[in-house]
Amino acid sequence: MRTVIAIYVENKYGVLARVAGLFMRKGFNIDSLTVGKTHDPDFSRITITLNGDDYVRTQIVNQLKKLHNVKAVKLLEPATSVERELVLLKVKNTPQNRSEIMAATEIYRAKIIDYTTEAMCVEITGESSKINAFIKVMMPLGIIEICRTGVVALDRGTSILEK
């Protein structure tokens, strides 16, 4: 079962290493991890995705809450949250595949952000399922390189994570 965890932490040296270290010590694999400052520069928000059953979810949330510098931890449920991912994808640009790349870019509401005679760099944002579908379409066209940010997510409505 895919799990998304939001963690509100003090923006201090070593906090991210402690959070990631917890997953390592418990033997849980992180599928994606994103982190950045919040509107308050003293705090950062970490979003982690992983696969695990209810036991794993409960165990990791309880352990995260015990870490120094962690102010709040919340499981984000798909029905009550919004998730997005950003991908930069470089694909071979040839006369044979150029129109297919441009058509797929339009259909998936992606954007060509760099263009040379040898390659195109495409930016796409959206839910992970949309990203995965776009990558699948691009594979036969000659993907050169991919850079994925990982999931960022917020609860819908007025619910907030901060403490």
Side-chain angles (χ1 to χ4, degrees):
M1 159 192 262
R2 183 169 173 273
T3 300
V4 179
I5 303 171
I7 311 160
Y8 194 71
V9 299
E10 291 179 4
N11 187 16
K12 292 189 176 178
Y13 174 81
V15 174
L16 178 59
R18 280 193 288 284
V19 169
L22 171 69
F23 284 80
M24 182 186 70
R25 285 190 308 279
K26 296 293 178 185
F28 300 140
N29 187 47
I30 295 172
D31 292 331
S32 78
L33 182 147
T34 57
V35 62
K37 287 183 195 175
T38 64
H39 61 284
D40 182 342
D42 293 332
F43 295 93
S44 291
R45 183 183 175 107
I46 300 171
T47 306
I48 295 177
T49 62
L50 68 142
N51 281 299
D53 57 18
D54 286 335
Y55 172 77
V56 169
R57 291 165 53 118
T58 303
Q59 181 80 2
I60 206 70
V61 168
N62 289 338
Q63 294 298 315
L64 284 166
K65 288 178 179 178
K66 293 178 185 178
L67 287 179
H68 184 65
N69 303 116
V70 171
K71 298 302 171 193
V73 179
K74 186 171 189 178
L75 286 171
L76 297 177
E77 302 298 338
T80 59
S81 63
V82 203
E83 297 178 14
R84 291 294 181 267
E85 218 180 325
L86 166 71
V87 172
L88 299 179
L89 183 141
K90 191 181 299 180
V91 65
K92 290 179 186 174
N93 181 10
T94 66
Q96 295 80 21
N97 71 3
R98 188 171 299 130
S99 62
E100 282 187 73
I101 294 169
M102 295 176 92
T105 299
E106 188 175 319
I107 290 166
Y108 282 89
R109 295 186 183 148
K111 186 177 0 173
I112 296 171
I113 57 172
D114 187 53
Y115 182 97
T116 68
T117 55
E118 296 85 29
M120 284 189 227
C121 187
V122 180
E123 172 188 315
I124 182 168
T125 60
E127 294 180 0
S128 296
S129 59
K130 173 187 173 184
I131 301 296
N132 293 335
F134 183 72
I135 291 170
K136 190 174 179 180
V137 166
M138 288 293 164
M139 277 190 173
L141 302 177
I143 293 175
I144 299 169
E145 189 173 14
I146 296 176
C147 183
R148 277 179 101 146
T149 61
V151 173
V152 291
L154 287 174
D155 266 333
R156 293 183 186 275
T158 58
S159 176
I160 61 172
L161 177 64
E162 299 171 13
K163 261 196 170 170

